[in-house]
Amino acid sequence: APPPAPGTGPAGQPGAGSPAVPVDGVGGPARDGGDDPGEITMYYQPQIAIATGEVVGVEALLRWRHPRRGMVDPGELIQVAEQSAVMRLLTRRVVDDVIDQLAAWSAAGITLRAALNVSVRDLHTGEVADQIADRLSRSGVRPERLQVEITEGALMADPRRVLATISQLHRIGVGIALDDFGTGYSSLQHLRRLPLSEMKVDRSFVLGMADDPDDAAIVRSMIELAGALGLRVVAEGVEDERTWRLLHAAGCDVAQGWFHARPMPADELVAWLARYRPVRPGGPGVQVPRR
Ligand code: C2E
Ligand code: MG
Ligand code: MG
Ligand code: MG
């Protein structure tokens, strides 16, 4: 009999205890109450080492709590924000929130690595790297605990400037992940030159791999490429047990997806971690706690 589906509750469920933070100059409570722009908050999704079942990190994902539409996923928001100075403000907020969260978890004895996303535009000046360096040193969070995810598309848009920014981050000890790998056209020349620590296989390939042999073949070759380049490889969008087992067989290091857990507010993550028992692909029944 198939094991119980371990997915957690519906994504975008507002959390109980974690206060949403208004964005300086973006969100914040409306003064007249008439057009409340809502607030942004961070959700965190666990990343699991496939061989051991251990939780090795989390990815911080932006959520916009809209007064009427409820919790809005970042896709739309980021696209609009990127057209203006709003993106810069959002990124500043994300950096501050995630590093503060790491400091709070540290104080509570939770030593996770957290990854945050930056957009193309953020990489065109040294500002984001300076801010990260400054916030890390003021909060006492070790740089190794932080990772920055850049998309393959961002990399190709302006390789030279992006290289300058990520080299700066690399020098201070922050890890760099290449996100959505397989959706852009990075040359292998490029990949070899960049100070990357991780490659994230785009979820479009992972979602299809249990049913589509072509997707499975593509994922396997990406895993091999990452291995050859000495990079940790993460599969995003792991929704079911079969995919997780296939990834294990292919030698993938880390899984991130609904099979283990949906993104959730920081306080829910702490409760989830307390209930979580490592599951290994070779092991017996799969038991991942429900939210
Ligand atoms: P991403 O960085 O590739 O993040 C992974 C996305 O996959 C997230 O979508 C996550 O919720 C979703 N996901 C995780 N597991 C599964 C699964 O098993 N199945 C499926 N179908 N989806 C899964 P989300 O949170 O909607 O974010 C979308 C994108 O928005 C992110 O893609 C990232 O590019 C961008 N984004 C999110 N937060 C931020 C942020 O703080 N700053 C910037 N610049 N971009 C962000
Ligand atoms: Mg990402
Ligand atoms: Mg991705
Ligand atoms: Mg993606």
Side-chain angles (χ1 to χ4, degrees):
T8 53
Q13 213 55 221
S18 111
V21 250
V23 195
D24 292 330
V26 182
R31 262 151 287 252
D32 60 5
D35 51 355
D36 178 4
E39 304 154 298
I40 65 144
T41 186
M42 299 313 292
Y43 273 37
Y44 295 89
Q45 185 176 31
Q47 299 175 322
I48 284 92
I50 296 179
T52 63
E54 223 185 315
V55 179
V56 289
V58 292
E59 179 176 7
L61 295 157
L62 197 65
R63 291 291 180 271
W64 176 23
R65 200 190 304 266
H66 189 274
R68 285 181 312 279
R69 294 161 67 191
M71 207 57 88
V72 180
D73 281 349
E76 234 182 294
L77 175 62
I78 300 288
Q79 228 184 339
V80 174
E82 274 193 325
Q83 312 300 313
S84 71
V86 170
M87 193 63 240
R88 192 171 145 255
L89 297 169
L90 276 179
T91 299
R92 290 196 70 84
R93 197 68 200 213
V94 169
V95 166
D96 287 352
D97 280 5
V98 173
I99 294 174
D100 289 355
Q101 188 61 67
L102 280 171
W105 279 333
S106 256
I110 300 169
T111 50
L112 285 173
R113 182 179 61 226
L116 60 83
N117 295 277
V118 296
S119 82
V120 199
R121 278 175 64 122
D122 296 322
L123 296 164
H124 288 178
T125 72
E127 194 186 317
V128 74
D130 291 340
Q131 190 205 347
I132 287 172
D134 178 61
R135 197 77 181 189
L136 283 173
S137 66
R138 281 195 288 132
S139 65
V141 170
R142 294 178 47 195
E144 297 75 27
R145 303 265 314 278
L146 189 69
Q147 183 153 296
V148 170
E149 299 194 356
I150 60 167
T151 61
E152 199 187 1
L155 183 63
M156 296 327 286
D158 196 342
R160 260 188 347 136
R161 294 170 89 173
V162 171
L163 178 61
T165 300
I166 68 176
S167 300
Q168 193 182 341
L169 287 167
H170 176 71
R171 274 196 303 277
I172 62 172
V174 172
I176 311 290
L178 188 60
D179 204 353
D180 300 347
F181 187 67
T183 60
Y185 301 91
S186 10
S187 73
L188 300 183
Q189 241 351 306
H190 251 106
L191 291 183
R192 213 162 52 84
R193 281 208 319 258
L194 293 168
L196 300 173
S197 33
E198 182 176 292
M199 185 185 278
K200 298 189 77 177
V201 178
D202 189 68
R203 68 174 190 254
S204 58
F205 304 107
V206 178
L207 287 172
M209 72 181 290
D211 299 314
D212 184 339
D214 292 339
D215 280 343
I218 291 170
V219 172
R220 276 196 301 272
S221 62
M222 288 189 203
I223 291 169
E224 228 172 276
L225 174 61
L229 294 170
L231 306 177
R232 177 172 58 232
V233 57
V234 178
E236 57 181 28
V238 182
E239 292 190 352
D240 54 46
E241 181 172 9
R242 242 186 100 209
T243 305
W244 173 62
R245 289 187 189 280
L246 286 171
L247 288 164
H248 178 247
C252 185
D253 300 311
V254 177
Q256 178 183 342
W258 300 348
F259 175 62
H260 289 96
R262 299 217 177 199
M264 56 191 125
D267 58 336
E268 280 183 34
L269 177 77
V270 171
W272 184 90
L273 287 169
R275 291 197 309 273
Y276 178 76
R277 296 288 170 271
V279 283
R280 288 174 200 82
V286 174
Q287 286 175 356
V288 183
R290 287 164 181 283
R291 194 154 103 209

